[in-house]
Amino acid sequence: MTTKRILVVDDDAKIRTLLRRCFESDGYEVAEAEGSKSVRAAFAEGDFDLVTLDLNLGAEDGLDIARELQREHDVPIFMVTGKDDVIDRVVGLELGADDYLTKPFHVREVLARVRSVLRRTAKRLPPAAASGEVAELWQCLDGLRINFDAMQLLDREGRDCALTTSDFKLLAAFVGNPQRQLSRDRLMDLVNGSDWTPLDRTIDNQVARLRKKLERDPARPQLIKTVRGLGYMLTEKPVDLAG
């Protein structure tokens, strides 16, 4: 099993050391960053499975870093905030952060919550792909080609289009229920199973990310339509292709 990598972002060296020791004691590989510049440098060295991010970084706004992480890396974000930073927490969750914890915190709670986020967003290959026995079952959806066993999406020009595991789970939820209205709660169930709470209202952000990969014009989505007051609907049925 590959060791999970966590990036700890905090301008307080003592907090970084505390979290590093906490995560390393649980078997994670840990790197540290104190601001946006060192975050970029850390990602230049390799990807991470999760980022813990203090939203109060002194001269920098942690929300700006959260936006950049979502835009450039689509990595799970675990926010750390002050107890009175309610607005920042709400904005962070709306940006797509996966969970948050307020200071002061206990390391056991940090570990429990981080494990939960990693379980929900684990980048695991399906059994067939992991074994190397990938089925040649392709489906066509509005000119896109999808192979769920191989976790592969080809765009309308035949180019490989990278999706995260959570993106594929969401796509599978739509493809398995074409032309059906799906509520946000139902989509959360299909993507995350029972491991979500009312605070995990990130499905809108996930849909927005998926639209960027699927839609001909993401600003005017036609493939994944919004159902006002309910959720979303995939407007077309996929067609099975010969292997």
Side-chain angles (χ1 to χ4, degrees), residues 161-184:
C161 186
L163 293 184
T164 66
T165 298
S166 59
D167 289 335
F168 267 106
K169 287 181 178 179
L170 181 57
L171 179 56
F174 282 121
V175 168
N177 298 274
Q179 298 178 330
R180 295 180 183 173
Q181 297 181 4
L182 297 173
S183 69
R184 289 173 173 82

PDB file of all heavy atoms in Angstrom, residues 161-184:
ATOM      1  N   CYS A 161      -8.280  12.599 -20.690  1.00  0.00           N
ATOM      2  CA  CYS A 161      -8.734  13.684 -19.818  1.00  0.00           C
ATOM      3  C   CYS A 161      -8.677  13.181 -18.378  1.00  0.00           C
ATOM      4  O   CYS A 161      -9.411  12.254 -18.011  1.00  0.00           O
ATOM      5  CB  CYS A 161     -10.156  14.081 -20.194  1.00  0.00           C
ATOM      6  SG  CYS A 161     -10.778  15.523 -19.321  1.00  0.00           S
ATOM      7  N   ALA A 162      -7.801  13.754 -17.582  1.00  0.00           N
ATOM      8  CA  ALA A 162      -7.572  13.260 -16.224  1.00  0.00           C
ATOM      9  C   ALA A 162      -8.739  13.604 -15.308  1.00  0.00           C
ATOM     10  O   ALA A 162      -9.187  14.756 -15.248  1.00  0.00           O
ATOM     11  CB  ALA A 162      -6.282  13.854 -15.665  1.00  0.00           C
ATOM     12  N   LEU A 163      -9.232  12.588 -14.605  1.00  0.00           N
ATOM     13  CA  LEU A 163     -10.259  12.772 -13.583  1.00  0.00           C
ATOM     14  C   LEU A 163      -9.793  12.122 -12.299  1.00  0.00           C
ATOM     15  O   LEU A 163      -9.101  11.104 -12.322  1.00  0.00           O
ATOM     16  CB  LEU A 163     -11.587  12.119 -14.008  1.00  0.00           C
ATOM     17  CG  LEU A 163     -12.354  12.682 -15.198  1.00  0.00           C
ATOM     18  CD1 LEU A 163     -13.668  11.930 -15.361  1.00  0.00           C
ATOM     19  CD2 LEU A 163     -12.626  14.163 -15.026  1.00  0.00           C
ATOM     20  N   THR A 164     -10.175  12.701 -11.169  1.00  0.00           N
ATOM     21  CA  THR A 164      -9.894  12.080  -9.882  1.00  0.00           C
ATOM     22  C   THR A 164     -10.882  10.943  -9.643  1.00  0.00           C
ATOM     23  O   THR A 164     -11.878  10.792 -10.358  1.00  0.00           O
ATOM     24  CB  THR A 164     -10.026  13.096  -8.738  1.00  0.00           C
ATOM     25  OG1 THR A 164     -11.396  13.510  -8.642  1.00  0.00           O
ATOM     26  CG2 THR A 164      -9.141  14.314  -8.975  1.00  0.00           C
ATOM     27  N   THR A 165     -10.599  10.125  -8.630  1.00  0.00           N
ATOM     28  CA  THR A 165     -11.518   9.035  -8.297  1.00  0.00           C
ATOM     29  C   THR A 165     -12.885   9.566  -7.919  1.00  0.00           C
ATOM     30  O   THR A 165     -13.921   8.989  -8.304  1.00  0.00           O
ATOM     31  CB  THR A 165     -10.941   8.199  -7.139  1.00  0.00           C
ATOM     32  OG1 THR A 165      -9.711   7.609  -7.561  1.00  0.00           O
ATOM     33  CG2 THR A 165     -11.893   7.082  -6.740  1.00  0.00           C
ATOM     34  N   SER A 166     -12.934  10.665  -7.182  1.00  0.00           N
ATOM     35  CA  SER A 166     -14.232  11.228  -6.803  1.00  0.00           C
ATOM     36  C   SER A 166     -14.982  11.730  -8.037  1.00  0.00           C
ATOM     37  O   SER A 166     -16.210  11.630  -8.116  1.00  0.00           O
ATOM     38  CB  SER A 166     -14.058  12.357  -5.781  1.00  0.00           C
ATOM     39  OG  SER A 166     -13.248  13.400  -6.294  1.00  0.00           O
ATOM     40  N   ASP A 167     -14.244  12.262  -9.034  1.00  0.00           N
ATOM     41  CA  ASP A 167     -14.882  12.670 -10.291  1.00  0.00           C
ATOM     42  C   ASP A 167     -15.509  11.467 -10.990  1.00  0.00           C
ATOM     43  O   ASP A 167     -16.629  11.541 -11.505  1.00  0.00           O
ATOM     44  CB  ASP A 167     -13.861  13.321 -11.225  1.00  0.00           C
ATOM     45  CG  ASP A 167     -13.409  14.688 -10.752  1.00  0.00           C
ATOM     46  OD1 ASP A 167     -14.162  15.340 -10.009  1.00  0.00           O
ATOM     47  OD2 ASP A 167     -12.295  15.103 -11.124  1.00  0.00           O
ATOM     48  N   PHE A 168     -14.771  10.355 -11.035  1.00  0.00           N
ATOM     49  CA  PHE A 168     -15.292   9.156 -11.683  1.00  0.00           C
ATOM     50  C   PHE A 168     -16.502   8.598 -10.941  1.00  0.00           C
ATOM     51  O   PHE A 168     -17.455   8.098 -11.556  1.00  0.00           O
ATOM     52  CB  PHE A 168     -14.204   8.091 -11.802  1.00  0.00           C
ATOM     53  CG  PHE A 168     -13.471   8.134 -13.114  1.00  0.00           C
ATOM     54  CD1 PHE A 168     -12.186   8.627 -13.184  1.00  0.00           C
ATOM     55  CD2 PHE A 168     -14.073   7.683 -14.276  1.00  0.00           C
ATOM     56  CE1 PHE A 168     -11.508   8.677 -14.382  1.00  0.00           C
ATOM     57  CE2 PHE A 168     -13.403   7.734 -15.493  1.00  0.00           C
ATOM     58  CZ  PHE A 168     -12.115   8.229 -15.544  1.00  0.00           C
ATOM     59  N   LYS A 169     -16.487   8.671  -9.609  1.00  0.00           N
ATOM     60  CA  LYS A 169     -17.641   8.204  -8.838  1.00  0.00           C
ATOM     61  C   LYS A 169     -18.875   9.041  -9.166  1.00  0.00           C
ATOM     62  O   LYS A 169     -19.982   8.510  -9.322  1.00  0.00           O
ATOM     63  CB  LYS A 169     -17.341   8.268  -7.343  1.00  0.00           C
ATOM     64  CG  LYS A 169     -16.385   7.204  -6.843  1.00  0.00           C
ATOM     65  CD  LYS A 169     -16.178   7.332  -5.349  1.00  0.00           C
ATOM     66  CE  LYS A 169     -15.259   6.250  -4.818  1.00  0.00           C
ATOM     67  NZ  LYS A 169     -15.037   6.393  -3.347  1.00  0.00           N
ATOM     68  N   LEU A 170     -18.676  10.352  -9.279  1.00  0.00           N
ATOM     69  CA  LEU A 170     -19.798  11.228  -9.614  1.00  0.00           C
ATOM     70  C   LEU A 170     -20.273  10.961 -11.037  1.00  0.00           C
ATOM     71  O   LEU A 170     -21.487  10.886 -11.305  1.00  0.00           O
ATOM     72  CB  LEU A 170     -19.384  12.690  -9.454  1.00  0.00           C
ATOM     73  CG  LEU A 170     -20.457  13.741  -9.752  1.00  0.00           C
ATOM     74  CD1 LEU A 170     -21.688  13.532  -8.874  1.00  0.00           C
ATOM     75  CD2 LEU A 170     -19.894  15.143  -9.552  1.00  0.00           C
ATOM     76  N   LEU A 171     -19.333  10.789 -11.972  1.00  0.00           N
ATOM     77  CA  LEU A 171     -19.699  10.486 -13.349  1.00  0.00           C
ATOM     78  C   LEU A 171     -20.462   9.161 -13.416  1.00  0.00           C
ATOM     79  O   LEU A 171     -21.463   9.038 -14.128  1.00  0.00           O
ATOM     80  CB  LEU A 171     -18.444  10.433 -14.217  1.00  0.00           C
ATOM     81  CG  LEU A 171     -18.643  10.098 -15.695  1.00  0.00           C
ATOM     82  CD1 LEU A 171     -19.620  11.062 -16.363  1.00  0.00           C
ATOM     83  CD2 LEU A 171     -17.294  10.105 -16.422  1.00  0.00           C
ATOM     84  N   ALA A 172     -19.995   8.161 -12.644  1.00  0.00           N
ATOM     85  CA  ALA A 172     -20.672   6.867 -12.623  1.00  0.00           C
ATOM     86  C   ALA A 172     -22.090   6.998 -12.077  1.00  0.00           C
ATOM     87  O   ALA A 172     -23.018   6.314 -12.542  1.00  0.00           O
ATOM     88  CB  ALA A 172     -19.875   5.871 -11.790  1.00  0.00           C
ATOM     89  N   ALA A 173     -22.275   7.870 -11.093  1.00  0.00           N
ATOM     90  CA  ALA A 173     -23.614   8.084 -10.529  1.00  0.00           C
ATOM     91  C   ALA A 173     -24.557   8.641 -11.597  1.00  0.00           C
ATOM     92  O   ALA A 173     -25.718   8.213 -11.702  1.00  0.00           O
ATOM     93  CB  ALA A 173     -23.529   9.033  -9.338  1.00  0.00           C
ATOM     94  N   PHE A 174     -24.064   9.574 -12.410  1.00  0.00           N
ATOM     95  CA  PHE A 174     -24.897  10.134 -13.479  1.00  0.00           C
ATOM     96  C   PHE A 174     -25.149   9.112 -14.588  1.00  0.00           C
ATOM     97  O   PHE A 174     -26.275   8.943 -15.057  1.00  0.00           O
ATOM     98  CB  PHE A 174     -24.243  11.385 -14.065  1.00  0.00           C
ATOM     99  CG  PHE A 174     -24.402  12.619 -13.220  1.00  0.00           C
ATOM    100  CD1 PHE A 174     -23.301  13.308 -12.746  1.00  0.00           C
ATOM    101  CD2 PHE A 174     -25.668  13.098 -12.911  1.00  0.00           C
ATOM    102  CE1 PHE A 174     -23.451  14.452 -11.965  1.00  0.00           C
ATOM    103  CE2 PHE A 174     -25.836  14.242 -12.128  1.00  0.00           C
ATOM    104  CZ  PHE A 174     -24.714  14.910 -11.659  1.00  0.00           C
ATOM    105  N   VAL A 175     -24.082   8.421 -15.017  1.00  0.00           N
ATOM    106  CA  VAL A 175     -24.210   7.457 -16.111  1.00  0.00           C
ATOM    107  C   VAL A 175     -25.138   6.305 -15.721  1.00  0.00           C
ATOM    108  O   VAL A 175     -25.867   5.768 -16.549  1.00  0.00           O
ATOM    109  CB  VAL A 175     -22.820   6.933 -16.521  1.00  0.00           C
ATOM    110  CG1 VAL A 175     -22.935   5.718 -17.440  1.00  0.00           C
ATOM    111  CG2 VAL A 175     -22.024   8.037 -17.215  1.00  0.00           C
ATOM    112  N   GLY A 176     -25.123   5.941 -14.440  1.00  0.00           N
ATOM    113  CA  GLY A 176     -26.003   4.874 -13.970  1.00  0.00           C
ATOM    114  C   GLY A 176     -27.455   5.302 -13.812  1.00  0.00           C
ATOM    115  O   GLY A 176     -28.334   4.458 -13.604  1.00  0.00           O
ATOM    116  N   ASN A 177     -27.689   6.598 -13.897  1.00  0.00           N
ATOM    117  CA  ASN A 177     -29.055   7.127 -13.743  1.00  0.00           C
ATOM    118  C   ASN A 177     -29.338   8.189 -14.800  1.00  0.00           C
ATOM    119  O   ASN A 177     -29.681   9.332 -14.469  1.00  0.00           O
ATOM    120  CB  ASN A 177     -29.242   7.722 -12.344  1.00  0.00           C
ATOM    121  CG  ASN A 177     -29.066   6.711 -11.242  1.00  0.00           C
ATOM    122  OD1 ASN A 177     -30.001   6.012 -10.876  1.00  0.00           O
ATOM    123  ND2 ASN A 177     -27.843   6.625 -10.701  1.00  0.00           N
ATOM    124  N   PRO A 178     -29.202   7.834 -16.088  1.00  0.00           N
ATOM    125  CA  PRO A 178     -29.369   8.859 -17.129  1.00  0.00           C
ATOM    126  C   PRO A 178     -30.804   9.354 -17.212  1.00  0.00           C
ATOM    127  O   PRO A 178     -31.755   8.599 -17.000  1.00  0.00           O
ATOM    128  CB  PRO A 178     -28.974   8.111 -18.411  1.00  0.00           C
ATOM    129  CG  PRO A 178     -29.276   6.676 -18.107  1.00  0.00           C
ATOM    130  CD  PRO A 178     -28.959   6.500 -16.645  1.00  0.00           C
ATOM    131  N   GLN A 179     -30.914  10.636 -17.476  1.00  0.00           N
ATOM    132  CA  GLN A 179     -32.214  11.291 -17.670  1.00  0.00           C
ATOM    133  C   GLN A 179     -33.131  11.138 -16.454  1.00  0.00           C
ATOM    134  O   GLN A 179     -34.356  11.141 -16.583  1.00  0.00           O
ATOM    135  CB  GLN A 179     -32.892  10.755 -18.946  1.00  0.00           C
ATOM    136  CG  GLN A 179     -32.071  11.042 -20.195  1.00  0.00           C
ATOM    137  CD  GLN A 179     -32.669  10.484 -21.455  1.00  0.00           C
ATOM    138  OE1 GLN A 179     -33.358   9.467 -21.423  1.00  0.00           O
ATOM    139  NE2 GLN A 179     -32.409  11.143 -22.584  1.00  0.00           N
ATOM    140  N   ARG A 180     -32.508  11.026 -15.283  1.00  0.00           N
ATOM    141  CA  ARG A 180     -33.259  10.995 -14.029  1.00  0.00           C
ATOM    142  C   ARG A 180     -32.828  12.172 -13.165  1.00  0.00           C
ATOM    143  O   ARG A 180     -31.647  12.504 -13.082  1.00  0.00           O
ATOM    144  CB  ARG A 180     -32.993   9.705 -13.248  1.00  0.00           C
ATOM    145  CG  ARG A 180     -33.472   8.441 -13.939  1.00  0.00           C
ATOM    146  CD  ARG A 180     -33.147   7.230 -13.075  1.00  0.00           C
ATOM    147  NE  ARG A 180     -33.518   5.983 -13.726  1.00  0.00           N
ATOM    148  CZ  ARG A 180     -33.225   4.783 -13.241  1.00  0.00           C
ATOM    149  NH1 ARG A 180     -32.581   4.673 -12.087  1.00  0.00           N
ATOM    150  NH2 ARG A 180     -33.589   3.697 -13.895  1.00  0.00           N
ATOM    151  N   GLN A 181     -33.786  12.783 -12.508  1.00  0.00           N
ATOM    152  CA  GLN A 181     -33.477  13.876 -11.590  1.00  0.00           C
ATOM    153  C   GLN A 181     -32.898  13.293 -10.306  1.00  0.00           C
ATOM    154  O   GLN A 181     -33.518  12.446  -9.660  1.00  0.00           O
ATOM    155  CB  GLN A 181     -34.734  14.693 -11.294  1.00  0.00           C
ATOM    156  CG  GLN A 181     -35.320  15.369 -12.525  1.00  0.00           C
ATOM    157  CD  GLN A 181     -36.545  16.196 -12.209  1.00  0.00           C
ATOM    158  OE1 GLN A 181     -36.939  16.342 -11.060  1.00  0.00           O
ATOM    159  NE2 GLN A 181     -37.162  16.764 -13.235  1.00  0.00           N
ATOM    160  N   LEU A 182     -31.680  13.740  -9.959  1.00  0.00           N
ATOM    161  CA  LEU A 182     -31.001  13.256  -8.761  1.00  0.00           C
ATOM    162  C   LEU A 182     -30.824  14.404  -7.780  1.00  0.00           C
ATOM    163  O   LEU A 182     -30.253  15.440  -8.124  1.00  0.00           O
ATOM    164  CB  LEU A 182     -29.633  12.670  -9.122  1.00  0.00           C
ATOM    165  CG  LEU A 182     -29.632  11.446 -10.040  1.00  0.00           C
ATOM    166  CD1 LEU A 182     -28.208  11.090 -10.450  1.00  0.00           C
ATOM    167  CD2 LEU A 182     -30.310  10.265  -9.361  1.00  0.00           C
ATOM    168  N   SER A 183     -31.314  14.220  -6.567  1.00  0.00           N
ATOM    169  CA  SER A 183     -31.151  15.255  -5.548  1.00  0.00           C
ATOM    170  C   SER A 183     -29.697  15.317  -5.106  1.00  0.00           C
ATOM    171  O   SER A 183     -28.911  14.373  -5.306  1.00  0.00           O
ATOM    172  CB  SER A 183     -32.047  14.956  -4.343  1.00  0.00           C
ATOM    173  OG  SER A 183     -31.568  13.815  -3.647  1.00  0.00           O
ATOM    174  N   ARG A 184     -29.330  16.405  -4.469  1.00  0.00           N
ATOM    175  CA  ARG A 184     -27.975  16.534  -3.947  1.00  0.00           C
ATOM    176  C   ARG A 184     -27.691  15.453  -2.904  1.00  0.00           C
ATOM    177  O   ARG A 184     -26.600  14.882  -2.870  1.00  0.00           O
ATOM    178  CB  ARG A 184     -27.780  17.931  -3.353  1.00  0.00           C
ATOM    179  CG  ARG A 184     -27.713  19.026  -4.410  1.00  0.00           C
ATOM    180  CD  ARG A 184     -27.700  20.409  -3.794  1.00  0.00           C
ATOM    181  NE  ARG A 184     -27.480  21.437  -4.807  1.00  0.00           N
ATOM    182  CZ  ARG A 184     -28.424  21.931  -5.584  1.00  0.00           C
ATOM    183  NH1 ARG A 184     -29.674  21.477  -5.482  1.00  0.00           N
ATOM    184  NH2 ARG A 184     -28.151  22.873  -6.471  1.00  0.00           N
TER     185      ARG A 184
END
